[in-house]
Amino acid sequence: MVHSEQSVTHGPGAALGVDGCTDAVEVGRGGFGVVYRAWQPDFARSVAVKVLAADWHGPSRARFERELRMLGRLSDHPHIVTLHQAGRTAAGNPYLLMAYEEGGSLGDRLRDGAAGDWREAVAGGIAVAGALETAHRAGVLHRDVKPENILISAYGEPKLADFGQARPRSARPTGADGRVTASVLHAAPEVLRGEPPSVAADVYALASTVLHWIRGAPPFAPADGESVDSLLRRIAVDPVPDLRPLGVPDGVCAALERALAKDPARRPATAAAFAEELRVAQVAAGLPASPFVLGGPGGDPAGPWPPQPAAGEAAPLSLSERRRAAVALSATVTRRPSRVRRHALARSLGLLVALAAVLAAGGSRALPTPTPVELPAQVPFGELELNAESREQVVAVGNRADRPVRLTGLTLTGPSRSELRIVADGC
């Protein structure tokens, strides 16, 4: 779907045959339908009306009805375009009536020269990743993530749109005739080779869109006069353009390069994992981590929740699950029964040392700008004295709930260390 802020063909006052809508103006056109901006007097608002332009009894009808079902399940997400209603026009054409996003599409903005701010692009990519992860958990592959399908609201918020190419993750691949339906400039190499779409392909398309947002051009833009075959070869073998000379931090570049790997297995396993890498890069660059919003169940109400991941794919955790997993760690220390006299055990038992790795796992709220620090390889976190009358002692290691500490080793030292043992540890 191509979006434009200019009126095309129809001027104000065009009749759509949709009850309650007036003053329709065409703002976008694609191979399967036409999008109009219309006015709803009863609600005093502008809306977007997508009308199926082709014969609705043909194959495009199934595509249109798929989009209706997908949006019906997902459009309550704050970064997915909102569906208000659906029906048929007076002429019998099916339509979708959606929220009208005043900012147009990201593609429009990039064509107008709005690229270059990596901070805005990364924040927008994280927001869209939340929408994409929500769709994936509902069992839906978008299959056409690109700047033209990201709309910008009047408040500057990105919205994932156009689910016309979306398919259930469980659907068997089609295309036995060898045809590939994809937007070449943002499609993953394996999709262009005719392999079935996947979560990894959606992650690639999102990373390609974020890179385009920063650079002002797709990762592999066609040269003047370049053939399609030459472009496809470059997409398959050329390295990802390096954004570091443009002032983009290394962490952001590394995250994009991993998500744009030629081999799907080398990419982040989920859109949530890709967003987490971008959020870590934000914090490393001295910025607050952008919110990552994950919607609730959107799939078949009778099916399991969350849906089972595909083979070889790790099941992602929601933010609330990650917070619960990041509670304080504890280690319990007790003494063995022994014949050691009380006065021997009264001496200091030395230092309990933990080898700690701080994980940069963010929460849904923005994190404060951190002060850069260098962490030592070993962090001593406590000293404990025990004697013959000591019972089991609990040593708790705490941190912010959204910034967990992982203990990779506990050490007992001191002259009486042989009389002590660690009996339990866990979260």
Side-chain angles (χ1 to χ4, degrees):
M1 185 66 66
V2 177
H3 298 271
S4 172
E5 295 182 356
Q6 297 179 345
S7 301
V8 181
T9 304
H10 293 275
L16 288 178
V18 177
D19 288 343
C21 292
T22 64
D23 299 332
V25 178
E26 183 180 323
V27 295
R29 180 178 289 267
F32 296 91
V34 181
V35 177
Y36 300 89
R37 184 187 70 240
W39 179 250
Q40 276 192 319
D42 291 346
F43 297 95
R45 68 183 180 189
S46 292
V47 291
V49 185
K50 184 175 182 179
V51 181
L52 185 64
D55 176 11
W56 72 279
H57 291 288
S60 54
R61 175 188 179 184
R63 180 184 189 274
F64 202 86
E65 290 178 347
R66 265 197 313 271
E67 184 171 13
L68 170 60
R69 291 193 297 271
M70 303 299 184
L71 278 178
R73 280 193 265 171
L74 300 170
S75 70
D76 60 341
H77 191 280
H79 296 294
I80 294 177
V81 68
T82 301
L83 176 66
H84 292 315
Q85 69 182 57
R88 295 183 188 172
T89 67
N93 297 72
Y95 72 86
L96 302 177
L97 192 151
M98 301 170 286
Y100 179 73
E101 305 302 347
E102 299 283 348
S105 76
L106 175 60
D108 294 335
R109 292 192 168 198
L110 294 178
R111 281 187 289 273
D112 290 339
D117 187 346
W118 67 266
R119 298 165 185 82
E120 178 185 11
V122 169
I126 292 167
V128 176
L132 200 57
E133 179 73 15
T134 298
H136 291 165
R137 292 195 182 198
V140 174
L141 297 172
H142 188 278
R143 304 204 319 157
D144 199 20
V145 179
K146 58 184 179 181
E148 289 75 18
N149 288 338
I150 295 176
L151 305 182
I152 308 298
S153 75
Y155 300 97
E157 295 290 337
K159 305 264 189 171
L160 184 60
D162 201 341
F163 281 74
Q165 294 284 1
R167 295 289 189 280
R169 288 179 60 177
S170 59
R172 292 185 177 181
T174 57
D177 55 2
R179 291 183 299 174
V180 175
T181 302
S183 298
V184 173
L185 296 182
H186 296 286
E190 69 272 15
V191 172
L192 297 177
R193 291 194 299 266
E195 297 178 19
S198 63
V199 167
D202 272 358
V203 170
Y204 179 101
L206 177 57
S208 176
T209 297
V210 174
L211 188 146
H212 188 170
W213 199 338
I214 296 171
R215 184 173 177 245
F220 305 100
D224 291 340
E226 184 177 19
S227 68
V228 173
D229 287 344
S230 172
L231 175 61
L232 294 180
R233 281 194 296 270
R234 289 201 294 114
I235 292 173
V237 301
D238 281 7
V240 178
D242 187 3
L243 301 181
R244 293 170 183 85
L246 301 179
V248 181
D250 181 72
V252 173
C253 295
L256 292 174
E257 289 161 1
R258 280 190 292 271
L260 289 167
K262 310 299 182 185
D263 181 0
R266 297 173 65 94
R267 298 174 202 152
T270 63
F274 174 50
E276 193 65 26
E277 290 192 15
L278 292 178
R279 299 177 82 234
V280 169
Q282 284 180 316
V283 173
L287 300 175
S290 295
F292 174 82
V293 181
L294 182 62
D300 182 358
W305 181 255
Q308 296 301 308
E313 186 176 301
L317 296 178
S318 68
L319 291 179
S320 60
E321 290 168 333
R322 290 209 307 274
R323 287 198 188 101
R324 288 196 297 270
V327 296
L329 302 173
S330 66
T332 303
V333 182
T334 188
R335 65 180 180 88
R336 289 186 183 137
S338 72
R339 296 183 297 275
V340 177
R341 292 174 297 177
R342 176 179 302 182
H343 68 270
L345 285 176
R347 293 175 292 179
S348 170
L349 297 177
L351 189 64
L352 184 64
V353 177
L355 305 180
V358 177
L359 306 180
S364 61
R365 62 187 183 280
L367 303 178
T369 301
T371 301
V373 296
E374 291 187 6
L375 293 178
Q378 294 188 354
V379 182
F381 70 86
E383 183 175 333
L384 191 65
E385 289 191 5
L386 303 178
N387 57 47
E389 297 179 344
S390 296
R391 298 181 180 274
E392 290 185 357
Q393 300 287 326
V394 176
V395 179
V397 182
N399 199 12
R400 280 175 39 181
D402 56 352
R403 301 295 298 276
V405 170
R406 175 180 294 167
L407 299 183
T408 59
L410 296 174
T411 303
L412 295 171
T413 63
S416 300
R417 60 183 179 275
S418 62
E419 305 299 328
L420 300 175
R421 63 192 178 99
I422 299 171
V423 297
D425 66 81
C427 290

